[in-house]
Amino acid sequence: MTVSDDDLLGLADAAAARAYAPYSRFHVGCAVLARDGRVIEGVNVENASYPLGVCAERAAFSRAVAEGYRPGDFVVAAITASPCGGCRQWLAEMAVERVVFRNGGRVVTMTVDELLPEQFESTSLPE
Ligand code: THU
């Protein structure tokens, strides 16, 4: 079965209902389509010590990596909100082909290069 970007965003919307966000009350869902056709979902999980909360994207990719997926195994990430700066770095690390997200009533599709130009690469660090 093929999963369209619209389907994937619908799965992200459904996942967002399971977010644990009692502090911000901002529920975020992320659904990632892997090359093998599987969809891995994540939600934001907040903490009373605010900075310890995790974003939906990082929750989804952490789950995927724990299940054996690796950077390059992902086709699309659908997110119910525009990804934060840190999550853009995660999307780059995971080498996802495209990112679909809601932003102010619009649905936006971008590549990681568009979301995060001039990327940091550890190989470009001085010896
Ligand atoms: N959040 C995400 O889950 N992903 C993003 O890319 C943006 C922000 C979450 C973090 C926090 O739980 C809530 O949204 C409010 O910032």
Side-chain angles (χ1 to χ4, degrees):
M1 198 197 82
T2 54
V3 180
S4 71
D5 288 7
D6 265 5
D7 293 339
L8 204 63
L9 200 50
L11 291 171
D13 288 335
R18 303 192 298 273
Y20 176 70
Y23 306 104
S24 73
R25 300 191 186 281
F26 187 70
H27 290 206
V28 183
C30 174
V32 179
L33 177 65
R35 291 195 192 285
D36 64 7
R38 261 209 56 205
V39 174
I40 303 101
E41 295 168 355
V43 299
N44 54 331
V45 182
E46 297 186 345
N47 192 280
S49 179
Y50 294 0
L52 299 182
V54 292
C55 289
E57 298 91 319
R58 297 181 218 192
F61 284 114
S62 297
R63 185 177 181 181
V65 168
E67 291 184 20
Y69 294 96
R70 286 294 178 268
D73 290 343
F74 310 106
V75 190
V76 195
I79 313 160
T80 59
S82 177
C84 74
C87 284
R88 292 176 190 219
Q89 185 70 41
W90 267 68
L91 291 158
E93 182 78 27
M94 293 295 136
V96 65
E97 278 180 19
R98 64 182 181 280
V99 183
V100 182
F101 56 94
R102 294 192 190 284
N103 197 3
R106 293 173 306 138
V107 174
V108 181
T109 303
M110 293 178 84
T111 63
V112 163
D113 275 352
E114 289 168 335
L115 284 168
L116 191 68
E118 299 290 340
Q119 281 163 40
F120 164 79
E121 284 175 36
S122 58
T123 50
S124 65
L125 288 175
E127 292 294 312

